[in-house]
């Protein structure tokens, strides 16, 4: 049975499907899920992420975390964690750069939260020299000082969408009609969790809610508040959004999210307001454009140094990668970052104000 058949059978038996359930099945179905069955990143895959564009991204993140570790007294051992590590490229680049900081790599216990068995396998190959541990749930993070990275993790968490109807909300659901999966709207219902969105929306506006995001970040925050550490979160999105941001990408091109379940990557803009609200146990930085963060950490100097060893097409692609990561019209502005540290601790380099 294909994933499409599984989904249509479920709709036939139980009625229209919630969008978060549809996204979960598409991305993480044990047999047919998008992440479960493939390694989708890179020029050969469906999309490319910052660490796959250039080694500079992971290197600068590694150095920022290592400085935060020094600032907090170089605790040993400590957990170096990543949420949704993809191919493991970011972690490998971060560790290589941070190996210049005496004691950091030796004290680091690498812990990865990854739902996809196929990607766990790829991560094991990339990171074989540092013997990572995988966890299934954020609650399983070891209870010790924790330095954590998440790049394009929160945008992959399932969302629900609601259309405002007076002071109530109609949920966008997936049905099956004339042989195709289609969007429809459920009945108008009160949604107490969305009361704050009555302030910035009007009748007919569509908003999105990612219920899974806040509990994950609040667990990370309380771990860091209690045991020390820092977290650096990167994603695309903005401060609260109105409108449909669900996006399907297949072979580097936009696709319809309902046409080929399990074959396309599905993401949605991250609501940075909701994420920051979950960090109350710690001190968060400002939400900062990725380009500005990388420039503050010296990406241009690093790019110039690397360029000296390159020529021809390799040099051209290196220059293009620097531009892609930092330029406001590429990833520099759409992608944002913020950091969290325990209250009273020094903010991560690149995010001090
Ligand atoms: N950080 C990587 C990959 C981003 S794609 C990079 O920048 O290249 C999203 C990653 O999160 C993938 O590794 C995916 O398998 C993982 N993922 C998605 N949903 C998840 C979930 N609910 N729990 C754990 N991992 C998840």
């Amino acid at each position: 049975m294909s994933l499409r058949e599984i989904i249509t059978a479920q709709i036939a038996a139980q009625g229209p499907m919630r969008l978060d359930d549809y996204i979960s099945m598409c991305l993480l179905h044990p047999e047919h899920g998008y992440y479960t069955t493939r390694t989708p990143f890179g020029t050969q895959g469906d999309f490319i992420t910052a660490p796959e564009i250039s080694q500079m991204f992971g290197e600068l993140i590694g150095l920022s975390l290592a400085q935060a570790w020094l600032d907090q007294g170089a605790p040993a051992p400590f957990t170096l964690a990543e949420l949704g590590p993809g191919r493991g490229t970011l972690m490998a680049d971060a560790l290589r750069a941070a190996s210049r900081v005496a004691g950091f790599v030796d004290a680091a216990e690498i812990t990865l939260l990854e739902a996809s068995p196929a990607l766990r396998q790829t991560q094991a190959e990339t990171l074989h020299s540092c013997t990572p541990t995988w966890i299934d749930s954020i609650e399983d993070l070891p209870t010790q000082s924790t330095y954590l990275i998440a790049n394009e993790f929160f945008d992959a968490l399932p969302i629900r969408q609601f259309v405002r109807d007076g002071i109530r909300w109609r949920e966008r659901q997936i049905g099956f009609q004339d042989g195709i999966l289609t969007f429809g709207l459920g009945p108008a219902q009160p949604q107490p969790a969305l009361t704050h969105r009555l302030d910035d929306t009007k009748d007919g506006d569509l908003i999105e809610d990612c219920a899974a995001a806040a509990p994950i970040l609040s667990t990370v925050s309380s771990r860091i508040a209690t045991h020390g550490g820092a977290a650096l979160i990167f994603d695309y999105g903005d401060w609260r959004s109105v409108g449909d941001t669900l996006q399907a990408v297949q072979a580097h091109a936009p696709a319809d999210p309902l046409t080929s379940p399990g074959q396309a990557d599905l993401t949605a803009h991250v609501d940075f307001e909701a994420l920051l609200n979950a960090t109350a146990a710690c001190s968060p930085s400002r939400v900062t454009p990725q380009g500005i963060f990388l420039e503050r950490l010296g990406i241009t100097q690093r790019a110039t140094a690397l360029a000296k060893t390159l020529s021809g097409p390799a040099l051209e692609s290196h220059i293009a990668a620097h531009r892609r990561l930092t330029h406001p019209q590429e990833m520099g502005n759409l992608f944002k970052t913020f950091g969290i540290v325990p209250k009273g601790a020094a903010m991560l380099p690149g995010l001090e104000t």
Side-chain angles (χ1 to χ4, degrees):
M1 230 182 174
S2 70
L3 186 56
R4 196 187 150 71
E5 287 163 344
I6 295 169
I7 289 171
T8 53
Q10 187 168 321
I11 292 172
Q14 298 170 8
M17 186 179 276
R18 270 171 43 171
L19 180 57
D20 56 345
D21 292 334
Y22 175 80
I23 294 174
S24 291
M25 286 177 90
C26 287
L27 295 183
L28 294 174
H29 185 278
E31 233 179 290
H32 304 289
Y34 180 76
Y35 287 123
T36 335
T37 54
R38 67 192 83 202
T39 300
F41 326 96
T43 40
Q44 307 299 315
D46 286 320
F47 61 95
I48 189 153
T49 54
E52 303 297 333
I53 290 173
S54 167
Q55 66 186 70
M56 296 185 292
F57 187 73
E59 288 172 351
L60 293 171
I61 288 171
L63 292 173
S64 181
L65 287 177
Q67 183 61 52
W69 176 76
L70 289 174
D71 288 342
Q72 290 184 41
F78 73 95
T79 298
L80 182 59
E82 186 170 357
L83 311 183
R87 298 177 60 210
T89 309
L90 196 167
M91 183 60 85
D93 291 337
L95 285 167
R96 193 182 57 255
S99 66
R100 307 265 179 107
V101 177
F104 183 82
V105 171
D106 286 343
E109 296 177 352
I110 314 296
T111 303
L112 308 174
L113 176 71
E114 173 56 65
S116 156
L119 287 172
R120 283 187 181 200
Q121 185 55 42
T122 309
Q123 291 152 18
E125 287 159 19
T126 314
L127 298 169
H128 63 92
S129 59
C130 57
T131 52
T133 304
W134 284 267
I135 53 173
D136 295 322
S137 155
I138 198 72
E139 303 295 335
D140 300 333
L141 269 180
T143 44
Q144 62 181 2
S145 181
T146 298
Y147 292 76
L148 177 140
I149 316 161
N151 183 57
E152 291 212 55
F153 169 75
F154 287 99
D155 68 7
L157 297 182
I159 55 157
R160 294 165 76 183
Q161 294 181 325
F162 297 90
V163 175
R164 183 163 171 187
D165 182 345
I167 56 163
R168 295 185 297 172
W169 301 90
R170 299 182 67 185
E171 179 156 14
R172 213 159 169 232
Q173 299 171 324
I174 292 143
F176 186 63
Q177 225 175 14
D178 303 328
I180 51 171
L181 292 167
T182 52
F183 279 115
L185 288 179
Q189 282 175 338
Q191 294 290 347
L194 299 179
T195 306
H196 63 297
R197 299 307 307 263
L198 294 173
D199 300 339
D200 70 321
T201 51
K202 56 183 186 327
D203 238 17
D205 281 348
L206 183 151
I207 59 147
E208 297 175 333
D209 185 50
C210 179
I216 294 175
L217 200 54
S218 109
T219 303
V220 170
S221 293
S222 45
R223 197 58 54 92
I224 290 173
T226 311
H227 300 281
L232 255 178
I233 314 295
F234 294 80
D235 231 307
Y236 80 119
D238 221 324
W239 193 260
R240 217 187 252 209
S241 71
V242 177
D244 177 11
T245 73
L246 179 66
Q247 173 177 302
V249 171
Q250 205 171 355
H252 295 273
D256 182 317
L258 301 187
T259 320
S260 32
Q263 309 289 316
D265 185 40
L266 297 177
T267 59
H269 281 209
V270 166
D271 178 349
F272 280 90
E273 180 188 37
L275 288 188
L276 278 206
N277 283 343
T279 66
C282 281
S283 282
S285 74
R286 281 182 195 222
V287 176
T288 305
Q290 171 176 301
I292 291 177
F293 170 77
L294 295 173
E295 289 295 357
R296 285 181 184 158
L297 290 181
I299 193 170
T300 299
Q301 289 90 320
R302 178 70 181 133
T304 310
L306 282 172
K308 293 202 175 105
T309 64
L310 302 170
S311 61
L315 178 60
E316 277 167 35
S317 99
H318 172 62
I319 293 168
H322 171 260
R323 183 187 153 86
R324 192 150 174 205
L325 288 177
T326 57
H327 196 278
Q329 277 162 4
E330 303 232 19
M331 295 174 83
N333 215 15
L334 176 62
F335 280 76
K336 313 248 177 352
T337 178
F338 67 92
I340 58 174
V341 292
K343 289 186 200 297
M347 185 40 76
L348 290 140
L351 292 172
E352 317 93 328
T353 32

